């Protein structure tokens, strides 16, 4: 299951999957599975994988999902839904 489903009346819902790091293939697969399942349940939502990784994961994310480093999100978090 996805970690967070954030809603606000004036914005699209936001699905957030959080992982410390996604370098291990099993970890990335688990995080992507959770995000994909939530995206099927909430097709109108923006999907975000949030990690402590400094670089974009090498494994492709599902169509419509994006990755953001935790440090970037802390600084620009409100830019996710724009």
């Amino acid at each position: 299951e996805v970690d967070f489903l954030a809603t606000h009346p004036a914005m699209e819902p936001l699905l957030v999957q959080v992982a410390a790091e996604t370098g291990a293939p099993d970890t990335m697969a688990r995080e992507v599975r959770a995000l994909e399942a939530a995206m099927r349940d909430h097709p109108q939502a923006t999907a975000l994988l949030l990690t402590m990784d400094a670089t974009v994961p090498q494994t492709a994310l599902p169509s419509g999902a994006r990755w953001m480093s935790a440090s970037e999100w802390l600084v620009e978090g409100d830019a996710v839904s724009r």
Side-chain angles (χ1 to χ4, degrees):
E1 66 187 36
V2 74
D3 293 319
F4 300 99
L5 170 60
T7 60
H8 185 281
M11 300 171 74
E12 290 182 1
L14 176 63
L15 298 166
V16 182
Q17 185 66 18
V18 180
E21 61 86 31
T22 57
D26 290 349
T27 301
M28 184 63 171
R30 181 182 65 243
E31 303 303 332
V32 168
R33 273 194 312 272
L35 202 52
E36 286 174 325
M39 291 171 72
R40 284 191 298 274
D41 292 341
H42 304 279
Q44 75 287 2
T46 300
L48 175 67
L49 175 60
L50 185 63
T51 73
M52 296 289 292
D53 298 321
T55 59
V56 177
Q58 297 301 307
T59 303
L61 291 175
S63 178
R66 65 179 283 210
W67 168 84
M68 187 179 255
S69 70
S71 60
E72 179 184 7
W73 180 78
L74 287 169
V75 174
E76 304 174 24
D78 67 334
V80 171
S81 60
R82 291 190 214 154

